[in-house]
Amino acid sequence: MSSPLLEKIITESGQPVNLCYQCRKCSAGCPMVDEFDFPPNMVMRMIQLGLEGELLRSRAIWMCVSCETCGTRCPNQIRIAPVMDVLRAECLKQGIEPADPTTVALHTSFIESIRQFGRVHEATMLLKYKFKSKKFTDDLDVGLKLFLKGKIPIMPKKSRNLSKIKEIFTKAGF
Amino acid sequence: MRYSYFPGCTLYTKAKKLDDAGRECSLKLGFELDELPDWTCCGATFPLVNDQHMLMSGPTRILADTKDRGDDKLVALCSVCYNVLKRTNHVMLNDEERRAKITDFIERDYHGEVEVLHYLQVLRDEIGFDALKEKVVKPLEGLKVACYYGCLLLRPVKEIGLDRMENPTIFEDFIRALGAEPVDFPFKIECCGAFQTVNSMATATRCSREILSNAVQNGADLVITTCPLCQFNLDDRQPEILKEDPAFTTIPVFYFTQLLAVALGLDSGNLGFERNFINPLELLQEKGLV
């Protein structure tokens, strides 16, 4: 069995996706499978069949949280989390609209917080996320309670090594 | 004994009590956590694609800083930081090609010389649970504890190697040393929904509900964790669970260092239990522990 997508995934993730024989142990233990449009075992099969467009437009690749449960249990030692990472990167590279843009908004806000402060500052990070995802009202009550309990300081604390972090971002072309 | 210590971003904000209690207990137990100066974020995610090196440059800098101050061990308390630092070190130790790229990128000389330890590992392997037991001044008798590991403390097992994947026991052994009773808790390694709690609250609420219900069904009085994100999902999502199911039995969820502090007789007024959504103080008072 071979497809250009299969070869690409094997090279970039280092995972022997070709070995999947559909035992479905991954999907049985996946905590996120209810949110997936294609369960993990089907994602493996779709890669083998080269169904690239369907995969890159799927919700499954964005809902995976890399908990590594499937990878630890797979009888063929395929870790699916790195495979999902390759698929996510490929979706963005090809300019395909992600099926779940809010996950992308969250990741971007997180990285931007590191670039800005050298450390993550939850309040400004989540504010950015709200603007990017336009989910303004979600979790407002929880955020307020956290703030009142002193769990979210308003002022960010910068790392004194911030210049080194900025250097890494610049070098990486971000 | 002195160790370099990496607290991480969240331990300065939301999970301050995980950090505070961890530091105070270390002094009681006779080891010093010497915070790395000017540390930066670990990245909070280990990059899984083979050619992503940028995300590993941050944690590698942290490891190189530890080495440059003359230390060979770095302790982390947060499961996420521990996971990222440990796995990055695994790459730096074993993957010549990626190591060359990263060290070239950040212009530092580092070959995986530092050993990354979780605080629990220090207690188990360096102090020893028997010695810990002797330092307990207030044994947590009659307290039934659900030990929640989550994902990042354990997986992937080949790179982390802290304990067994399906039935780890380090947390239960720790709890026994404090005099409490760990309950049978099959959901202890299930995922809490992680960062999807931000995008898809319903998902994290469902995951948390399954985990907590399992703890309650098995007779637990409380749940302990090492991870700030798990603590958030398991504790702060309980009001949401109650909205869906008014019959749901709430249960306190807090950090293992807070429980350690109680057993070591530290001032419970200072442990920040009032910051929890489900406040465990009443339970601890009932058991005569605070």
Side-chain angles (χ1 to χ4, degrees):
Chain A
M1 181 171 299
S2 176
S3 75
L5 178 67
L6 178 63
E7 299 304 322
K8 186 182 175 60
I9 298 277
I10 291 175
T11 311
E12 292 192 13
S13 71
Q15 301 305 314
V17 177
N18 53 320
L19 296 184
C20 172
Y21 50 45
Q22 295 295 310
C23 76
R24 302 189 194 181
K25 203 167 183 176
C26 50
S27 301
C30 174
M32 289 293 146
V33 73
D34 289 357
E35 324 294 329
F36 284 17
D37 37 9
F38 307 113
N41 68 296
M42 206 187 270
V43 171
M44 294 300 101
R45 190 68 177 150
M46 287 165 81
I47 294 170
Q48 291 171 345
L49 294 172
L51 301 176
E52 187 168 354
E54 286 84 345
L55 274 170
L56 300 187
R57 282 180 189 81
S58 76
R59 188 172 148 80
I61 62 173
W62 297 104
M63 292 311 287
C64 168
V65 292
S66 309
C67 76
E68 301 264 8
T69 307
C70 55
T72 319
R73 291 174 179 168
C74 175
N76 291 313
Q77 270 129 51
I78 305 167
R79 284 175 46 216
I80 299 182
V83 173
M84 295 295 201
D85 243 24
V86 175
L87 290 168
R88 284 189 278 252
E90 197 55 29
C91 170
L92 297 178
K93 228 183 273 175
Q94 294 191 17
I96 293 170
E97 171 76 11
D100 179 39
T102 56
T103 303
V104 183
L106 177 65
H107 293 328
T108 319
S109 309
F110 198 95
I111 287 285
E112 281 176 7
S113 187
I114 299 178
R115 174 158 53 178
Q116 207 173 350
F117 306 117
R119 297 180 185 176
V120 171
H121 177 247
E122 287 92 346
T124 46
M125 191 264 283
L126 289 170
L127 196 67
K128 264 192 190 150
Y129 164 76
K130 297 266 173 213
F131 277 99
K132 281 182 204 287
S133 64
K134 304 199 170 51
K135 285 178 149 185
F136 291 106
T137 51
D138 282 16
D139 261 343
L140 220 53
D141 52 337
V142 177
L144 186 67
K145 278 185 213 159
L146 282 176
F147 173 70
L148 292 175
K149 281 173 181 282
K151 285 182 173 178
I152 306 185
I154 310 177
M155 293 308 292
K157 192 169 168 34
K158 282 186 191 176
S159 168
R160 278 184 286 164
N161 258 335
L162 182 57
S163 59
K164 295 279 175 209
I165 289 295
K166 295 215 172 192
E167 240 172 62
I168 292 175
F169 274 96
T170 314
K171 258 189 168 175
F174 270 77
Chain B
M1 196 67 176
R2 183 192 147 277
Y3 302 92
S4 260
Y5 172 53
F6 179 81
C9 308
T10 309
L11 273 72
Y12 260 56
T13 55
K14 189 210 147 273
K16 183 125 189 36
K17 291 299 163 187
L18 171 61
D19 177 64
D20 286 351
R23 288 185 205 237
E24 281 191 45
C25 292
S26 71
L27 295 177
K28 277 254 171 188
L29 294 170
F31 66 98
E32 187 197 340
L33 295 176
D34 188 2
E35 182 172 338
L36 274 181
D38 305 328
W39 52 268
T40 50
C41 176
C42 70
T45 310
F46 181 80
L48 298 166
V49 179
N50 280 347
D51 65 352
Q52 277 180 358
H53 298 101
M54 184 215 168
L55 284 170
M56 261 187 282
S57 53
T60 305
R61 278 193 66 253
I62 295 163
L63 294 162
D65 284 347
T66 310
K67 177 191 154 194
D68 287 354
R69 80 200 292 225
D71 283 349
D72 58 1
K73 284 174 182 168
L74 177 66
V75 175
L77 254 175
C78 164
S79 296
V80 185
C81 302
Y82 170 68
N83 185 286
V84 174
L85 290 168
K86 178 106 193 190
R87 292 170 78 180
T88 302
N89 207 48
H90 184 83
V91 170
M92 298 308 286
L93 199 59
N94 300 302
D95 190 331
E96 214 170 302
E97 198 185 322
R98 294 167 95 188
R99 175 175 65 220
K101 275 188 183 159
I102 296 163
T103 48
D104 189 37
F105 191 70
I106 60 169
E107 297 170 7
R108 297 286 289 268
D109 181 36
Y110 185 72
H111 291 76
E113 293 92 337
V114 171
E115 190 186 356
V116 180
L117 297 173
H118 190 271
Y119 193 98
L120 272 176
Q121 224 173 340
V122 175
L123 297 182
R124 181 188 65 185
D125 303 338
E126 313 252 322
I127 309 282
F129 285 144
D130 288 337
L132 170 64
K133 196 174 180 178
E134 282 168 25
K135 302 245 180 182
V136 169
V137 296
K138 206 179 278 176
L140 308 175
E141 277 161 19
L143 203 60
K144 291 187 171 179
V145 182
C147 301
Y148 179 67
Y149 292 78
C151 309
L152 296 171
L153 190 63
L154 299 169
R155 297 190 286 265
V157 166
K158 274 189 192 150
E159 290 163 42
I160 302 287
L162 177 73
D163 209 332
R164 282 176 300 167
M165 148 68 193
E166 295 290 351
N167 191 16
T169 54
I170 184 170
F171 231 160
E172 280 85 350
D173 295 340
F174 161 75
I175 282 301
R176 278 190 204 98
L178 302 186
E181 181 193 335
V183 301
D184 187 29
F185 182 30
F187 272 59
K188 65 186 181 183
I189 58 160
E190 287 288 316
C191 175
C192 68
F195 58 84
Q196 286 299 357
T197 196
V198 181
N199 303 317
S200 169
M201 196 208 305
T203 309
T205 305
R206 173 183 53 76
C207 294
S208 301
R209 181 178 171 175
E210 285 168 4
I211 293 163
L212 295 170
S213 302
N214 188 252
V216 171
Q217 277 160 16
N218 286 296
D221 297 316
L222 60 98
V223 180
I224 53 163
T225 167
T226 60
C227 174
L229 188 52
C230 299
Q231 200 276 338
F232 174 83
N233 281 339
L234 296 181
D235 183 31
D236 299 45
R237 289 299 178 214
Q238 289 195 47
E240 207 56 40
I241 302 173
L242 274 174
K243 267 189 225 165
E244 287 172 13
D245 176 15
F248 171 76
T249 312
T250 59
I251 181 168
V253 182
F254 53 93
Y255 299 115
F256 77 105
T257 50
Q258 289 173 297
L259 197 61
L260 175 61
V262 171
L264 294 179
L266 293 169
D267 178 12
S268 58
N270 208 16
L271 290 176
F273 286 128
E274 71 288 349
R275 288 157 72 112
N276 284 42
F277 272 81
I278 308 299
N279 190 336
L281 267 180
E282 204 178 307
L283 165 77
L284 296 174
Q285 276 159 357
E286 215 175 275
K287 303 271 178 192
L289 296 169
V290 294

